[in-house]
Amino acid sequence: MAQTTLDAFQVIADPSRRQILQLLSKESLTINALAENFDMSRPAVSKHIKVLYNGGFISIQTIGRQRHCVLKQDGFNAVQQWINYFDSFWQTKLKKLEDVLNIKAEKKINNH
Amino acid sequence: MAQTTLDAFQVIADPSRRQILQLLSKESLTINALAENFDMSRPAVSKHIKVLYNGGFISIQTIGRQRHCVLKQDGFNAVQQWINYFDSFWQTKLKKLEDVLNIKAEKKINNH
DNA sequence: AAAATGCGTAACTAAAAAGTTACATATATA
DNA sequence: TATATATGTAACTTTTTAGTTACGCATTTT
């Protein structure tokens, strides 16, 4: 895991990181508690955490020697916006189709 | 690009592929027309197209020797749903916070 | 104070992804 | 029909990513 600063899309590309986010959506967890849910080693999880942290997907609260991971909205925003862009693309497309159909329907009514 | 069948999140992890989707949101384009927008070779673009196609992000209409790429909604859905899940997570969280604040406000009114 | 716990990090390996060039093939054009 | 065009694919190289083990360092606990 050479680079720990990836863009939001690269952050969520990894299935393990998405699962970490899933787990954190249920409850805040420490690094070790998270690692118990995976087959991989604890350091591997630790690195994923770093990636998620740098991407703004989680925040970390250190209590003594423990680090509690909590979901953070920032990272999700980039993805949200990207999806919104294409969402409005589809809606515009649908709208255009509707307009065409309406015009056709009107013509039918006027001609008969 | 060993594997051309990736999950939706891996498909959009690549910046070039996201740019292809952007370009296609403006107009349908052939493989060559797309390749003109990139520094990489035409075969490289061709492979990205394959990945996007297998992921359900685009459909392809073959006209003679040309292949016209068009956006397709299917691929976006998985990402959309994933984002929706966390979106409702944040909304629920906000709702809970509001409830707490309302209870506190009521108590204040009742006690004075 | 000694031992145990909860972590981070460095150094390395293995696997996967992205790119390249060279070539094959089908369709269109002169 | 010869040539140009639009593309796919195979074989290879390079780069990135994900994982490992070994180790170090605070902070707790005994």
Side-chain angles (χ1 to χ4, degrees):
Chain A
M1 228 164 306
Q3 216 179 332
T4 51
T5 321
L6 311 169
D7 72 58
F9 297 93
Q10 286 172 305
V11 171
I12 63 167
D14 187 277
S16 301
R17 284 196 287 266
R18 289 203 303 278
Q19 201 185 332
I20 290 175
L21 294 176
Q22 275 290 335
L23 292 166
L24 293 180
S25 78
K26 301 300 175 190
E27 53 179 335
S28 297
L29 294 164
T30 64
I31 313 275
N32 266 345
L34 275 168
E36 283 171 14
N37 294 278
F38 294 91
D39 278 340
M40 59 184 155
S41 68
R42 203 253 324 144
V45 173
S46 193
K47 283 176 196 172
H48 282 307
I49 293 298
K50 197 171 182 180
V51 172
L52 288 166
Y53 177 79
N54 288 337
F57 284 86
I58 61 170
S59 62
I60 299 174
Q61 199 186 347
T62 304
I63 301 176
R65 62 188 166 185
Q66 296 188 132
R67 308 191 75 207
H68 297 262
C69 304
V70 186
L71 282 193
K72 192 179 172 187
Q73 206 166 9
D74 299 26
F76 294 87
N77 288 154
V79 184
Q80 175 80 268
Q81 283 164 26
W82 187 82
I83 273 294
N84 284 349
Y85 173 82
F86 287 98
D87 205 48
S88 56
F89 168 81
W90 296 115
Q91 282 178 16
T92 306
K93 207 178 161 185
L94 187 62
K95 179 83 173 56
K96 281 180 186 165
L97 180 64
E98 275 172 5
D99 291 349
V100 170
L101 292 176
N102 285 337
I103 289 166
K104 280 196 181 161
E106 276 174 35
K107 279 190 182 163
K108 229 174 189 170
I109 291 167
N110 292 339
N111 290 342
H112 289 284
Chain B
M1 225 167 307
Q3 215 180 332
T4 51
T5 322
L6 311 168
D7 72 60
F9 296 93
Q10 285 172 305
V11 171
I12 64 167
D14 187 278
S16 302
R17 284 196 286 267
R18 289 203 304 278
Q19 202 185 330
I20 290 175
L21 294 176
Q22 274 290 335
L23 292 166
L24 293 180
S25 77
K26 301 300 176 191
E27 53 178 336
S28 297
L29 293 166
T30 63
I31 313 276
N32 266 346
L34 276 168
E36 281 170 17
N37 294 278
F38 294 91
D39 278 339
M40 59 184 157
S41 68
R42 204 251 327 142
V45 173
S46 192
K47 284 176 196 171
H48 281 307
I49 293 297
K50 197 170 180 180
V51 172
L52 288 167
Y53 176 79
N54 288 337
F57 285 84
I58 61 170
S59 62
I60 299 173
Q61 200 186 346
T62 305
I63 300 177
R65 61 188 167 184
Q66 296 189 132
R67 307 192 77 207
H68 296 263
C69 303
V70 185
L71 282 194
K72 193 179 172 186
Q73 205 165 10
D74 299 26
F76 294 86
N77 289 154
V79 184
Q80 175 81 267
Q81 283 165 25
W82 187 81
I83 273 294
N84 283 349
Y85 173 83
F86 287 99
D87 204 49
S88 56
F89 169 81
W90 296 115
Q91 281 179 16
T92 306
K93 207 179 161 183
L94 187 63
K95 179 80 173 56
K96 281 180 184 164
L97 180 64
E98 274 173 6
D99 290 349
V100 170
L101 291 176
N102 285 338
I103 288 166
K104 279 194 181 164
E106 275 175 37
K107 278 189 181 163
K108 228 173 192 172
I109 291 167
N110 292 339
N111 290 343
H112 288 285

